[in-house]
Amino acid sequence: MLTSLTLQPIGYLRTQQEVKFKAGHQPASAEEASNELELLPGCGYEQALQDLAGVERIWLLWWFHRNSAWRPLVLPPRGPAQRRGVFATRSPHRPNPLGLSSTALLGVQGRRLLLGPCDLIDGTPVFDLKPYVPVYDAFPSARAGWIDETEAAYRNPPPFTVQLMPTAEVHATWLREIWGIDFTARLSELLARDPAPHRTRRIRRRGPDHFEISCGAWRALFIVADTHVSVLALEPAYPMKFLSRPGYEDVPDRDAQLAFLARWPTATGL
Ligand SMILES: C[S@@+](CC[C@H](N)C(=O)[O-])C[C@H]1O[C@@H](n2cnc3c(N)ncnc32)[C@H](O)[C@@H]1O
């Protein structure tokens, strides 16, 4: 019996999604995106890509390389705050953290594949790709247990309204206009569904009335009244002592976080 295997990536995903927060929970089909899978040179992969013309979607098999531990029970980000067996979920926290995503194949140029929306982050190692074949792979009427129930609830309008208050609006505009950083749509989408504290959604209580949600390299501070969420301010997720320390140069949005702290050293005061 084989007890361990060694696999080698065939290539790496290149995308604007540097942090997990920016990647969707599953590849979305609606929005256009340009992600690239760059296969390694010198392996004959150009030839292996032959005959993909006419294939509209492919499967990617990949590694959740930014995860370290697995858990038998996980808290899915969508749906009620209930732990599920990891094998009944698509959670990254698996004993063998293998990811499986189907994505649109928009073109092939040499060893580079141009892809549609993906739920992989930048630098993700990819082990294999295969054509997505609807007659083999699609069973649209198959039941999916608790996931069907969650998806049905998501078809209802979101129960909360979300508003960026003036300070948060100033922060968001500055981030967008000066740094091209904008996570407010995703932030609003998450809070409109459920702003309650939740480990996987990375929502925490920050005081008697205040909450914070982590949004990749950033955080948003908010309060909730009935079904209304007011986002009070945005702020960097990393404190100055980390950002300015040698060895932390690769922190996502590091320069923008430093500039933010220089401009608003005590932005939220909380
Ligand atoms: C819920 S998982 C589903 C992945 C895949 N569609 C599957 O079912 O196996 C998608 C999430 O994994 C996270 N993710 C993407 N690439 C990752 C990586 N290389 N390492 C760790 N987490 C990653 C992102 O937060 C993304 O939203």
Side-chain angles (χ1 to χ4, degrees):
M1 209 193 328
L2 269 178
T3 53
S4 70
L5 294 170
T6 306
L7 299 180
Q8 268 154 13
I10 57 167
Y12 296 86
L13 206 279
R14 295 283 160 230
T15 167
Q16 299 294 313
Q17 295 163 170
E18 294 171 311
V19 287
K20 293 200 238 168
F21 177 78
K22 291 192 197 161
H25 294 136
Q26 293 295 329
S29 48
E31 78 250 40
E32 271 304 304
S34 54
N35 300 306
E36 269 185 27
L37 171 58
E38 197 176 326
L39 301 187
L40 298 176
C43 303
Y45 292 146
E46 292 83 348
Q47 223 182 345
L49 290 172
Q50 230 176 257
D51 302 310
L52 274 172
V55 172
E56 226 173 270
R57 296 192 72 82
I58 54 171
W59 288 111
L60 298 179
L61 287 147
W62 49 278
W63 197 250
F64 290 99
H65 74 301
R66 295 271 286 271
N67 280 10
S68 45
W70 80 277
R71 292 187 279 277
L73 292 179
V74 293
L75 186 61
R78 284 157 77 87
Q82 192 178 333
R83 293 187 187 279
R84 312 276 180 182
V86 71
F87 294 141
T89 75
R90 308 293 288 254
S91 164
H93 305 284
R94 329 183 69 78
N96 290 311
L98 279 165
L100 172 70
S101 305
S102 106
T103 183
L105 177 61
L106 307 177
V108 178
Q109 290 162 357
R111 285 180 286 111
R112 291 187 313 133
L113 292 97
L114 190 62
L115 306 175
C118 291
D119 54 357
L120 292 69
I121 59 172
D122 191 45
T124 297
V126 175
F127 290 125
D128 200 2
L129 64 96
K130 305 183 186 210
Y132 170 88
V133 185
V135 287
Y136 303 159
D137 297 338
F139 303 91
S141 54
R143 286 179 288 117
W146 71 271
I147 299 168
D148 283 341
E149 289 161 29
T150 303
E151 291 302 323
Y154 269 71
R155 282 194 286 276
N156 296 328
F160 291 85
T161 55
V162 180
Q163 190 184 4
L164 262 61
M165 303 312 282
T167 301
E169 198 63 76
V170 169
H171 293 160
T173 306
W174 182 83
L175 281 175
R176 191 175 51 246
E177 289 182 355
I178 312 276
W179 296 93
I181 295 170
D182 189 0
F183 53 88
T184 52
R186 182 110 174 91
L187 169 69
S188 300
E189 184 191 312
L190 289 170
L191 293 180
R193 278 291 157 198
D194 188 358
H198 188 287
R199 207 181 88 154
T200 312
R201 287 198 283 266
R202 305 189 69 197
I203 301 176
R204 279 182 297 270
R205 188 176 277 284
R206 179 140 151 192
D209 304 316
H210 292 78
F211 300 89
E212 66 174 40
I213 177 169
S214 297
C215 315
W218 301 90
R219 279 197 296 242
L221 181 71
F222 64 92
I223 52 174
V224 185
D226 297 322
T227 57
H228 189 73
V229 179
S230 302
V231 178
L232 305 178
L234 309 181
E235 64 181 15
Y238 290 80
M240 182 61 111
K241 63 176 183 204
F242 285 124
L243 293 170
S244 45
R245 203 181 270 177
Y248 281 76
E249 292 80 7
D250 291 341
V251 166
D253 300 340
R254 179 174 177 265
D255 291 346
Q257 292 193 66
L258 282 167
F260 188 106
L261 287 170
R263 183 159 181 168
W264 292 289
T266 51
T268 61
L270 270 169

